[in-house]
Amino acid sequence: MIEVIRCGHDSRHTKPVDVVHEKGLDHHLLLLIKAEAYVETEEGVVFVRPGTGVLFDKNVRIHYGCGEKNYNDDWIHFSVSPNDRILEEAKIPVGIPLQLLAFSDLCQYVRLLVAEKYLQTSGSRAIEDALMHAFLLKFGEQREEEIPSLNRYYPSMSRLREEVINAPGRKWEIEKMAKKLNVSVSYFQHLYKEMFGIPFRKDVILARLSSSCFYLEETDMDITSVASFCGYESDLHFMRQFKKFQGMTPSQYRIWARGQRREKRGIQS
């Protein structure tokens, strides 16, 4: 059985961050890093790019952060019961940053975990346990893929994906991206899917929708402005995609997210 102690999706920081747990934690911590950052390993501090995951073991020093503003990650604090062998089955190395091919898919698991954690229905514990088992097995599969950095296009593609994640509202066109790398459109699409585990167009859509969630939660921008800022020319198209993504309209999501925040603050106080 896995207990999700706390978790967060698309956590953005407006200032540089430097997290240190000198003696570690009495449970596991897993990060999905969405910005350039650093992580301390047994070999020393290493710098990592967006799309990196790292699992920290129990009771060991934890140190990670980002020297610039706008650090962004998904995170899960969890514990595993002694008779559950999921970490052995998933074969995830602890304390070692891993570049993950299906990074966006893994982020969607965390989004579902966060939603379930705050709903807290009678079946939430069982759902969280099932989601975590699936998530960890999916995470572990990444180690069996070919190391993407061996492909000579990987550095350029990685920088491109970072631009997409940080500025999803721009007009991203496959033809222009392929021309920039001096490859055909079909080969560009093949490379992107092979390296990141998701088609380019779908990745742009998910980046736009994730960004829209942030602005709905953190600002008072009207729906039309949020849609436009995140790259949508049509409010209707935005609302249809958003409802398919979150299961509710943008307005409903804003009310729900802010209610969850107030409830969380009430519990913490």
Side-chain angles (χ1 to χ4, degrees):
M1 185 77 177
I2 300 176
E3 179 187 1
V4 178
I5 300 168
R6 53 187 179 274
C7 53
H9 172 62
D10 218 26
S11 299
R12 298 171 184 259
H13 300 257
T14 57
K15 298 179 180 179
V17 296
D18 187 65
V19 179
V20 180
H21 298 285
E22 287 291 350
K23 297 182 179 179
L25 304 167
D26 62 358
H27 54 268
H28 293 283
L29 169 62
L30 191 147
L31 302 178
L32 297 179
I33 298 172
K34 303 179 179 180
E36 290 191 348
Y38 54 82
V39 177
E40 184 175 339
T41 70
E42 291 183 353
E43 306 297 325
V45 176
V46 297
F47 290 90
V48 300
R49 300 187 65 80
T52 296
V54 57
L55 172 66
F56 293 103
D57 205 356
K58 299 185 294 183
N59 303 314
V60 298
R61 174 182 163 87
I62 295 173
H63 180 205
Y64 66 92
C66 175
E68 305 293 334
K69 62 180 182 179
N70 296 323
Y71 172 72
N72 184 11
D73 66 7
D74 289 359
W75 49 272
I76 309 171
H77 290 259
F78 68 98
S79 60
V80 183
S81 59
N83 62 339
D84 193 324
R85 318 310 300 177
I86 182 61
L87 293 178
E88 294 179 10
E89 294 172 14
K91 299 178 181 179
I92 303 172
V94 293
I96 300 176
L98 302 171
Q99 190 76 36
L100 303 172
L101 297 181
F103 187 78
S104 295
D105 292 345
L106 291 168
C107 291
Q108 295 312 306
Y109 278 98
V110 183
R111 181 179 67 82
L112 292 172
L113 276 170
V114 171
E116 197 61 47
K117 191 67 179 173
Y118 288 126
L119 285 175
Q120 287 300 298
T121 63
S122 58
S124 288
R125 285 293 298 276
I127 293 172
E128 290 171 17
D129 177 61
L131 282 171
M132 277 300 299
H133 277 82
F135 171 84
L136 291 170
L137 289 172
K138 185 73 173 178
F139 190 109
E141 287 176 359
Q142 306 308 307
R143 299 183 60 237
E144 300 176 4
E145 301 287 349
E146 180 182 356
I147 300 172
S149 57
L150 294 178
N151 190 304
R152 67 187 181 92
Y153 289 106
Y154 183 75
S156 298
M157 294 290 282
S158 183
R159 287 192 294 270
L160 168 63
R161 192 179 192 217
E162 181 183 349
E163 291 179 23
V164 171
I165 292 173
N166 289 331
R170 285 173 53 185
K171 190 174 182 179
W172 296 101
E173 298 179 1
I174 290 180
E175 294 77 11
K176 290 183 178 179
M177 299 302 102
K179 186 176 181 180
K180 191 174 181 180
L181 269 66
N182 197 28
V183 298
S184 68
V185 170
S186 60
Y187 190 55
F188 174 87
Q189 292 173 312
H190 169 75
L191 283 173
Y192 201 95
K193 176 71 180 295
E194 182 181 52
M195 291 179 183
F196 307 120
I198 185 172
F200 176 74
R201 294 189 189 279
K202 184 177 180 181
D203 211 14
V204 172
I205 291 171
L206 290 178
R208 287 175 173 175
L209 291 170
S210 294
S211 181
S212 70
C213 288
F214 172 76
Y215 290 109
L216 288 169
E217 293 177 34
E218 302 295 335
T219 75
D220 293 320
M221 295 168 62
D222 58 62
I223 304 302
T224 298
S225 298
V226 171
S228 177
F229 195 76
C230 293
Y232 288 90
E233 297 179 359
S234 164
D235 291 5
L236 183 59
H237 185 210
F238 166 62
M239 287 187 284
R240 283 176 176 170
Q241 281 198 343
F242 190 92
K243 188 170 184 180
K244 185 177 180 180
F245 176 63
Q246 286 288 6
M248 60 184 83
T249 67
S251 297
Q252 291 170 335
Y253 177 83
R254 171 172 272 166
I255 294 171
W256 174 82
R258 292 184 176 182
Q260 294 299 322
R261 183 189 301 173
R262 287 193 296 270
E263 181 179 332
K264 184 178 179 182
R265 287 174 178 172
I267 292 173
Q268 291 178 339
S269 61

